[in-house]
Amino acid sequence: MTGTLLPSPTVTVQRIAGNIGAVIGGVDASGPLRDEVVAQVRQALLDHKVIFLRDQELDYDSQVAFVKRFGDLTLGHPIYDNAEEQPHLRAMDSSHGTRANHWHTDLSFIERPPAAAFLHAKVIPPVGGDTIWANTATAYQSMPAELRDLADRLRIVHSNDSDFTDDTVDWRGDYISNRIETEHPAVRVHPETGERALLLGGFAQSVVGYSPQVSRELIHSLQEYVTKPEQTVRWQWRVGDLAIWDNRATEHYAVYDYGTAHRRAERLTLVGSTPVGVDGRPSVVLCGDTTAYSNGA
């Protein structure tokens, strides 16, 4: 019967890489779920940073209902127009020039980057189109103590006018028509786990107090620890896959190796909190107003 909670299935969690990633079994995201099942999925996300559910049949309404079990939804995007009938959806569609083949944390140029993202595969190329995720918490732990100490004290400006924008956005002028910049700690304290995680990626533009050249070198040096293969997992998509990642402790890269083939996935995101550094200092908005996006309306 529609809307009836069935007996809880056995939720399985299978790790797929040493430091990040797990496949979740026994969960149908399209139907009602018991609180304990949602709690198990949430814990798996915190533990493994990105999790994958195969063979999920989701339309917009059922995907929204599932994601709402984990928190409040943002609008689809803080820059692009959001469709009135599906305001929370961001379609990642190759036919519209959308790609993300640059390491990044989603929307790190805003004050409150999304806490988590839920991406459902609709159309997958016959070959290629994988996505790679990296664990920025274990990357931080892998750094020498002296470098961790330096990173703990750095502040980094993230901007929508960035390397990511240069590399991945076809209509760059539209993307940066309204400048959005935020000063974040280079290392944020995860609000749920207490872990320290690097906050970097393609929107990271400069290090506060350092020259442009030194800024680039510092960001590059820290970023190298994130993208080491040991910190990553690579996912080969199938139609119906649902990937969920903790945007507070990951970066990702959508591999653009499928030419003119069609690729489409639909993303919903959860409202995030303002990052806080090791010293307790929160992020600071430098320019731009994205409160409507974070408030979901």
Side-chain angles (χ1 to χ4, degrees), residues 258-293:
Y258 47 90
T260 60
H262 190 198
R263 183 183 188 273
R264 180 183 174 91
E266 297 179 349
R267 185 186 73 191
L268 302 179
T269 51
L270 294 181
V271 172
S273 58
T274 301
V276 176
V278 175
D279 59 2
R281 294 171 58 199
S283 302
V284 177
V285 176
L286 302 179
C287 62
D289 182 2
T290 58
T291 53
Y293 165 79

Side-chain angles (χ1 to χ4, degrees), residues 26 71 81 95 106 113 164 173 179 183 190 194 218 244 275 277 288:
D81 291 336
S95 64
D106 279 333
F164 179 92
R179 183 70 65 88
E183 177 191 300
H190 195 289
L218 279 171
I244 310 171

Side-chain angles (χ1 to χ4, degrees), residues 29-62:
S30 67
L33 296 172
R34 295 189 178 277
D35 289 345
E36 59 265 30
V37 173
V38 175
Q40 287 176 281
V41 174
R42 179 187 295 275
Q43 189 60 53
L45 178 61
L46 294 174
D47 291 343
H48 301 286
K49 304 302 185 283
V50 58
I51 56 177
F52 306 97
L53 287 69
R54 291 283 198 187
D55 303 319
Q56 301 296 312
E57 296 184 8
L58 297 169
D59 58 15
Y60 175 74
D61 290 336
S62 58

Side-chain angles (χ1 to χ4, degrees), residues 25-285:
V27 176
D28 178 2
S30 67
L33 296 172
R34 295 189 178 277
D35 289 345
E36 59 265 30
V37 173
V38 175
Q40 287 176 281
V41 174
R42 179 187 295 275
Q43 189 60 53
L45 178 61
L46 294 174
D47 291 343
H48 301 286
K49 304 302 185 283
V50 58
I51 56 177
F52 306 97
L53 287 69
R54 291 283 198 187
D55 303 319
Q56 301 296 312
E57 296 184 8
L58 297 169
D59 58 15
Y60 175 74
D61 290 336
S62 58
Q63 189 174 354
V64 166
F66 176 71
V67 177
K68 280 185 174 179
R69 298 297 300 275
F70 297 86
D72 295 327
L73 276 67
T74 69
L75 290 178
H77 201 275
I79 295 176
Y80 297 116
D81 291 336
N82 299 292
E84 184 176 346
E85 65 278 10
Q86 296 182 336
H88 303 293
L89 181 72
R90 171 64 178 151
M92 316 300 289
D93 196 313
S94 62
S95 64
H96 300 156
T98 298
R99 60 188 186 276
N101 55 322
H102 197 110
W103 282 105
H104 65 288
T105 290
D106 279 333
L107 304 175
S108 66
F109 53 86
I110 70 174
E111 179 189 7
R112 297 163 60 191
F118 298 67
L119 188 67
H120 187 231
K122 296 292 190 179
V123 180
I124 297 300
V127 178
D130 298 354
T131 303
I132 310 170
W133 281 266
N135 185 335
T136 60
T138 54
Y140 170 83
Q141 289 298 331
S142 73
M143 298 191 312
E146 295 82 2
L147 188 54
R148 291 200 304 269
D149 181 64
L150 173 61
D152 288 346
R153 293 180 276 114
L154 296 178
R155 306 277 292 187
I156 297 182
V157 175
H158 293 239
S159 174
N160 62 329
D161 184 2
S162 63
D163 288 347
F164 179 92
T165 313
D166 292 341
D167 291 347
T168 69
V169 177
D170 287 344
W171 301 284
R172 185 178 183 279
D174 293 338
Y175 200 85
I176 64 171
S177 58
N178 293 310
R179 183 70 65 88
I180 305 171
E181 292 184 353
T182 302
E183 177 191 300
H184 289 302
V187 179
R188 72 174 296 177
V189 178
H190 195 289
E192 292 189 67
T193 67
E195 293 175 298
R196 297 181 183 185
L198 292 165
L199 178 46
L200 298 167
F203 296 113
Q205 188 180 65
S206 62
V207 181
V208 176
Y210 290 84
S211 69
Q213 180 177 345
V214 174
S215 287
R216 288 191 295 270
E217 292 172 353
L218 279 171
I219 292 170
H220 178 74
S221 295
L222 297 174
Q223 181 70 13
E224 279 194 329
Y225 286 91
V226 174
T227 57
K228 284 185 176 180
E230 290 84 354
Q231 310 303 339
T232 68
V233 64
R234 181 165 178 150
W235 186 251
Q236 187 173 19
W237 292 93
R238 299 195 314 230
V239 172
D241 287 353
L242 177 65
I244 310 171
W245 63 93
D246 188 338
N247 199 50
R248 303 161 295 187
T250 59
E251 290 183 26
H252 59 285
Y253 185 115
V255 180
Y256 182 51
D257 60 349
Y258 47 90
T260 60
H262 190 198
R263 183 183 188 273
R264 180 183 174 91
E266 297 179 349
R267 185 186 73 191
L268 302 179
T269 51
L270 294 181
V271 172
S273 58
T274 301
V276 176
V278 175
D279 59 2
R281 294 171 58 199
S283 302
V284 177
V285 176

